[in-house]
Amino acid sequence: MLGALRQLFIPKPPAGVEATYIALLAAARNPFFYEDLGVPDTLDGRFELIVLHLFLLQHRLVEPRADTTTTAFAQFLSEAFFNDMDNSLRELGVADTGVSKRIKKMGAAYHGRLQAYSAGLADATVLRAALARNLYGTVAQGDVALLDRLGRYVETMAARLAQSEVDVILRGAYVWPDAATLGL
């Protein structure tokens, strides 16, 4: 009964949210990041790349000119992310109480990264510091050249997304370029 009530009062996400999130996951799982850019292929490394790609979309959708449709879509995209993280934790065998605590930590990490990456788009040094801390934080010795390439990827994708039609994203039709082909 609770499920039926929820369906009456909680709006369903637009059709494009699922397709957009799936495409975002595919972009974040590109072997290029792990093999060529040295991002650790771990749960943490994968989480960080998903958050980075989610940031790029959020940055495009929630801008000063954003309307209620794009803002709502961005919110549904965030909810898709947290539902995915919740499901992933449960598949890994984390108990209900542990899931709640971990999701809360992920939420804080997510919001912190959104702020750090947003500030980084205005300052390359700040961006690279945020990327080093978040994506390479578990690497004993990093390679500045790889960090710089990842920074260029973020800047390139932010610029490409800024030139993209919002309607394409809202329809779930945005196609992420293969990172390996961007000449980084």
Side-chain angles (χ1 to χ4, degrees):
M1 179 163 160
L2 187 58
L5 286 174
R6 178 178 286 182
Q7 289 179 355
L8 288 174
F9 296 106
I10 298 176
K12 289 189 181 267
V17 168
E18 183 178 357
T20 299
Y21 186 70
I22 289 170
L24 174 156
L25 288 177
R29 290 179 178 155
N30 186 329
F32 173 78
F33 296 111
Y34 308 102
E35 295 169 2
D36 293 19
L37 298 185
V39 174
D41 191 2
T42 61
L43 287 174
D44 288 339
R46 287 174 179 248
F47 171 82
E48 294 296 344
L49 279 170
I50 293 169
V51 170
L52 178 64
H53 285 81
L54 184 54
F55 158 75
L56 288 165
L57 278 175
Q58 296 285 20
H59 182 74
R60 173 63 179 106
L61 293 170
V62 182
E63 55 185 38
R65 301 180 308 273
D67 60 20
T68 55
T69 303
T70 56
T71 302
F73 189 90
Q75 180 62 39
F76 280 119
L77 205 52
S78 292
E79 289 173 15
F81 166 70
F82 283 106
N83 287 336
D84 182 32
M85 294 300 106
D86 184 281
N87 291 335
S88 295
L89 289 170
R90 290 176 194 284
E91 286 176 7
L92 290 170
V94 177
D96 286 345
T97 56
V99 169
S100 176
K101 290 177 186 176
R102 290 185 187 194
I103 290 292
K104 203 174 274 193
K105 282 178 131 178
M106 287 178 182
Y110 167 74
H111 290 291
R113 278 141 181 86
L114 292 183
Q115 291 174 346
Y117 296 146
S118 185
L121 287 181
D123 183 335
T125 303
V126 171
L127 177 61
R128 278 141 182 87
L131 293 172
R133 186 173 55 251
N134 298 324
L135 284 123
Y136 297 108
T138 61
V139 175
Q141 291 186 338
D143 183 338
V144 175
L146 296 179
L147 176 62
D148 193 49
R149 289 175 67 194
L150 185 58
R152 286 195 311 271
Y153 171 78
V154 172
E155 293 159 349
T156 299
M157 286 310 305
R160 280 182 170 226
L161 281 161
Q163 298 300 314
S164 299
E165 293 293 325
V166 171
D167 289 343
V168 172
I169 298 169
L170 298 179
R171 286 193 324 269
Y174 182 76
V175 177
W176 292 81
D178 181 357
T181 65
L182 293 176
L184 307 170

